Amino acid sequence: MSTTILSQLQAYFKAACEKAFGQIPDLALEVAQSKDSKFGDYQFNSAMKMVPRLSIKQNPRQIADAIVAAAAPSDMIEKLEVAGPGFINITLHREFLEK
């Protein structure tokens, strides 16, 4: 059974979110392919949706920073970068993409 890059990224960010904040019931994580390569290959867009669901008072950018800090090293991901009000830009390792 093969998995898509998108499903792998969703699982990766689910684990990072749970490590940073514990389980968040009924939260659908939004990972999308980037429309502009200068922002990386994919983007995690759920930090803003998480604000009302967390018992702590943080803005979306602080939530995104916490997710990046909790994210495990990965052979798939070269770089995670928080941008704007709380987006996480994802750059994949070229070697991973070549496989």
Side-chain angles (χ1 to χ4, degrees):
M1 174 183 201
S2 70
T3 58
T4 65
I5 292 173
L6 189 58
S7 66
Q8 291 177 59
L9 288 171
Q10 287 169 326
Y12 176 83
F13 278 97
K14 182 177 190 281
C17 288
E18 287 178 354
K19 183 177 178 186
F21 302 107
Q23 282 197 320
I24 305 167
D26 303 322
L27 178 66
L29 299 179
E30 184 182 337
V31 179
Q33 195 164 9
S34 180
K35 292 181 171 88
D36 188 335
S37 62
K38 72 180 177 184
F39 299 120
D41 300 304
Y42 286 82
Q43 293 177 306
F44 177 81
N45 301 321
S46 295
M48 286 175 263
K49 293 178 183 177
M50 294 172 70
V51 171
R53 296 177 156 240
L54 295 173
S55 59
I56 55 175
K57 298 295 179 204
Q58 291 187 339
N59 67 46
R61 189 167 178 102
Q62 291 170 314
I63 290 170
D65 285 334
I67 293 167
V68 168
S74 170
D75 292 338
M76 177 175 50
I77 297 173
E78 179 179 327
K79 178 174 74 168
L80 297 174
E81 179 180 44
V82 177
F87 300 105
I88 300 174
N89 295 332
I90 307 159
T91 301
L92 301 177
H93 279 293
R94 296 297 152 217
E95 295 83 16
F96 172 81
L97 291 172
E98 290 172 359
K99 289 183 185 178

